[in-house]
Amino acid sequence: MSEDYDGPILDNHLHLDPEHGRGMDAVEDFARAGGTHLLVVNKPSWMLEDVADDESIFRAVFETTVETVDRANEVLPGRAWPVLGVHPALISKLTGRGYTPEEARDIMQAGLDVAAEFVADGPALALKSGRPHYDVGDPIWDASNNVMKHAFELGAETGSAVQLHTEGGEDFSDVAAWAEERGLPAKRVVKHYSGGRLDGPTKSVLSNEDELEVAVEENEPFLMETDFIDDPDRPGAVLGPKTVPRRVEWLLDSDRVDAVRTAHVETPASVYGIDLEATL
Ligand SMILES: [Zn+2]
C-alpha cells in the first residue's frame, strides 16, 4: 500500500448482514482495498423480530453476529471481533408498543447483560449502548441515560470498552464522567459516528476527508469507521466497506503516517487492549 506503512487497517464500526446484504462480499472488498481488521456491530434486534422484549431475541441476534465474524475471519488477513449491544432507538419501539420508559429500560439493560456474557465468555470484544440521536421527552431521555450507565457498569465489570451511539456534538465530557464514576476509564468509551473533534470519550471518526483532517489536526487518539450498514434497501446510506483503506491511503499520500499509526495501532491497543500488528 505504501512504503511507509504496511501495518493493520481497522474499520472500527460496521455491520454485516450475510442473509440480506452483501455479507462476505463486503469483507472481500475491504480486504482487497487493503483492510485487515474489523469490529462488527450487531444489527438492531428489530431486524430479527419487530420488537425485542425478550432476552432470547437479543441472544439470537448476538449469536448471528458471532457466526458472521467467524466467517469474516476466514477472509481477512487480520481478524474481526464482534461488538454487541442494544440499539438506543429500541426504547422508542418499546414505548410505542405500550411499555413504560422504565419497563423499556429494564428490557434493554437485560439485553446488555446478555451482551456482557458474550464479552466475559470470550467471543465479543466490546459492548454497544447509547441514547437516541433524535429528540425525545424527559422520561425516555432519563431512561436512556440509565441504560447507558448500566452499560458502563458492565464495561467496568468485564474490562471492556463501550461503543456509544448518541446525538451529535463535540462535548461528551459529562458522559465520560459517568463512565469514570462507574470504574470505566473515559478512553474506553468510544463515540461512534463522531466528527473530528470530541471532548470526553475516544472518537471513532466517520471517514470523510473533512472530518479526518480535523481529527489529524487535533492530534489526539482516534479511530476510523464507515458505519457500513449492509442494507440492500438503503444503498449508499453510509460509507462503503472500501472507504477506510482508501482514506488510509490518502493520509499516507500526504505523509501522515503518524496519524495512521494512531488510528490503526495505538488507539485500538489502548481502548480495546488488542494488538493488531500481532494479529496480522
Ligand atoms: Zn452502526
Side-chain angles (χ1 to χ4, degrees):
M1 162 162 286
S2 157
E3 47 214 59
D4 301 326
Y5 186 80
D6 61 356
I9 295 178
L10 167 73
D11 188 332
N12 182 61
H13 181 118
L14 93 171
H15 308 268
L16 293 171
D17 186 348
E19 201 184 335
H20 309 99
R22 299 191 53 220
M24 293 310 124
D25 284 349
V27 178
E28 276 166 19
D29 270 2
F30 172 73
R32 258 197 303 270
T36 60
H37 293 78
L38 294 173
L39 296 195
V40 181
V41 183
N42 62 273
K43 302 275 285 188
S45 50
W46 61 80
M47 306 291 289
L48 192 68
E49 191 116 341
D50 189 29
V51 169
D53 56 1
D54 181 301
E55 211 189 281
S56 66
I57 298 166
F58 292 115
R59 201 172 287 279
V61 170
F62 299 156
E63 267 156 14
T64 303
T65 309
V66 171
E67 282 162 24
T68 301
V69 164
D70 286 345
R71 291 178 58 193
N73 279 332
E74 310 277 309
V75 175
L76 292 168
R79 59 164 294 185
W81 288 271
V83 173
L84 303 180
V86 178
H87 197 288
L90 180 60
I91 198 159
S92 301
K93 300 209 171 253
L94 291 169
T95 53
R97 286 294 182 91
Y99 289 98
T100 67
E102 291 73 26
E103 287 166 341
R105 172 200 66 203
D106 291 348
I107 290 166
M108 293 168 74
Q109 290 183 341
L112 284 167
D113 290 342
V114 177
E117 279 177 36
F118 281 74
V119 172
D121 295 346
L125 179 69
L127 297 166
K128 154 94 192 287
S129 185
R131 61 188 181 192
H133 59 270
Y134 46 88
D135 282 336
V136 294
D138 284 345
I140 289 187
W141 187 249
D142 293 343
S144 298
N145 280 328
N146 284 324
V147 171
M148 185 163 58
K149 289 171 184 172
H150 184 66
F152 294 154
E153 280 166 18
L154 294 170
E157 272 170 33
T158 54
S160 73
V162 178
Q163 286 198 7
L164 294 183
H165 169 115
T166 67
E167 76 279 14
E170 295 186 346
D171 186 2
F172 284 80
S173 45
D174 54 344
V175 171
W178 294 343
E180 293 266 354
E181 284 161 18
R182 286 161 182 80
L184 181 68
K187 72 171 183 184
R188 307 202 83 180
V189 179
V190 177
K191 185 184 182 319
H192 129 74
Y193 214 92
S194 180
R197 196 175 290 113
L198 186 71
D199 284 333
T202 299
K203 57 205 169 197
S204 179
V205 179
L206 192 72
S207 296
N208 291 315
E209 291 182 4
D210 291 352
E211 294 303 331
L212 289 173
E213 291 278 5
V214 175
V216 172
E217 196 74 17
E218 290 284 297
N219 199 23
E220 286 172 351
F222 72 104
L223 298 154
M224 289 169 62
E225 68 167 65
T226 54
D227 196 22
F228 176 63
I229 52 172
D230 204 11
D231 182 344
D233 295 336
R234 296 170 63 203
V238 284
L239 302 175
K242 295 178 195 160
T243 309
V244 167
R246 283 181 174 168
R247 294 294 185 266
V248 166
E249 205 157 357
W250 166 77
L251 287 168
L252 293 172
D253 284 346
S254 51
D255 287 328
R256 288 176 286 189
V257 66
D258 289 349
V260 171
R261 288 197 64 81
T262 297
H264 299 277
V265 178
E266 288 152 22
T267 308
S270 79
V271 170
Y272 301 111
I274 49 178
D275 183 343
L276 297 190
E277 289 173 307
T279 48
L280 250 189

